[in-house]
Amino acid sequence: MKFWHYIILIMAALLLLGFFFLPNAVAEVSDSRSLGNLVMIDSQRISFDSTSELSLPERIALAANPKAGVLPVETGNAMDDGMAKETIGLELLRFFKDSLFQFDFNEYDVEEGAAMLIVDADLPSRNLIVWEFVIIDRAENKITVTLDDETGIILRLIYRLGNQDNTLIGEEEAGSPGDEFYSMTQRLVEMMKDYYELPITLADYQFRGRIAFYRADLFSGGRAIPMYGAVRPASFTMNERV
């Protein structure tokens, strides 16, 4: 066999070796470079983007949906913790303007607060980030409030009077059963209507024991969004099932 025949055989062998081993070698180099670019994500910081296409009534309905999933998130998309706390004070002043409910908005503490992701269980692409705070004034009047991160609007609220001796509603014997509760419920619906600047009516009212359960319908786009709540002698809820 001539010398150049050996050269051809050696080159063919090298080509075969490259055919079998080169792809693996390239893949290993590529993987090593990719691994260098991977970032580990803490599951507690994962959040979906809030769907800005949701209307305000849809946000109100999703926030009160008992079937919706709730996940903690580190912060909001539009607001951080400081901005949310500042916004909540301003929005509560708008909601409680000219009302007889007792709360000192000049001096209060934020007991706790966090951002949460609310996800529609039936359609996960429908979601929003909210802030939930518990604030209390010197008289121990307490408000638990849910604030929409994107719009800065209050979506639901629970109010509790601090001094139980000073009830929001007088004794039932002062009039026909439920009269004062009904008047308080109507006042609350009017506050909701003024705050949201949308048509809202008292659609259902049931007085049982010392609690008035109500449903207020918010009308938007030809449909009614139910907002449930309850009124007690020293507390009330808005858009919160009881």
Side-chain angles (χ1 to χ4, degrees), residues 58-227:
E58 289 173 327
R59 292 171 183 271
I60 291 172
L62 181 55
N65 187 346
K67 296 181 180 179
V70 180
L71 301 171
V73 292
E74 184 173 324
T75 188
N77 287 333
M79 292 186 280
D80 58 18
D81 184 76
M83 293 173 59
K85 288 178 180 177
E86 181 178 355
T87 301
I88 204 66
L90 297 173
E91 292 302 307
L92 285 172
L93 277 173
R94 284 210 308 127
F95 182 82
F96 281 91
K97 70 175 182 179
D98 304 325
S99 76
L100 299 179
F101 299 114
Q102 303 175 32
F103 198 88
D104 185 359
F105 288 104
N106 294 315
E107 189 171 349
Y108 62 86
D109 296 317
V110 178
E111 283 194 333
E112 54 186 278
M116 298 178 293
L117 177 71
I118 300 179
V119 182
D120 190 328
D122 298 323
L123 190 61
S125 60
R126 291 169 55 88
N127 59 81
L128 71 158
I129 294 177
V130 301
W131 293 87
E132 186 162 292
F133 291 105
V134 177
I135 66 175
I136 186 170
D137 66 7
R138 291 177 298 177
E140 297 186 355
N141 301 311
K142 183 179 293 186
I143 301 175
T144 302
V145 60
T146 302
L147 182 80
D148 180 34
D149 174 71
E150 187 170 337
T151 65
I153 299 295
I154 294 171
L155 300 181
R156 59 188 176 194
L157 183 147
I158 302 173
Y159 172 90
R160 297 181 181 88
L161 191 66
N163 187 347
Q164 297 297 318
D165 295 330
N166 298 324
T167 59
L168 293 172
I169 304 171
E171 290 300 319
E172 184 180 342
E173 291 74 18
S176 301
D179 277 359
E180 292 184 84
F181 287 82
Y182 186 75
S183 297
M184 182 63 70
T185 304
Q186 286 183 313
R187 183 188 305 174
L188 177 57
V189 172
E190 288 298 318
M191 289 170 60
M192 293 159 57
K193 185 190 300 184
D194 291 341
Y195 178 73
Y196 291 117
E197 298 181 346
L198 290 169
I200 301 177
T201 62
L202 180 59
D204 189 25
Y205 175 86
Q206 297 181 22
F207 182 71
R208 299 197 297 267
R210 293 283 285 161
I211 305 176
F213 299 91
Y214 72 89
R215 190 191 86 227
D217 283 348
L218 184 156
F219 294 92
S220 176
R223 59 185 292 234
I225 307 295
M227 300 176 68

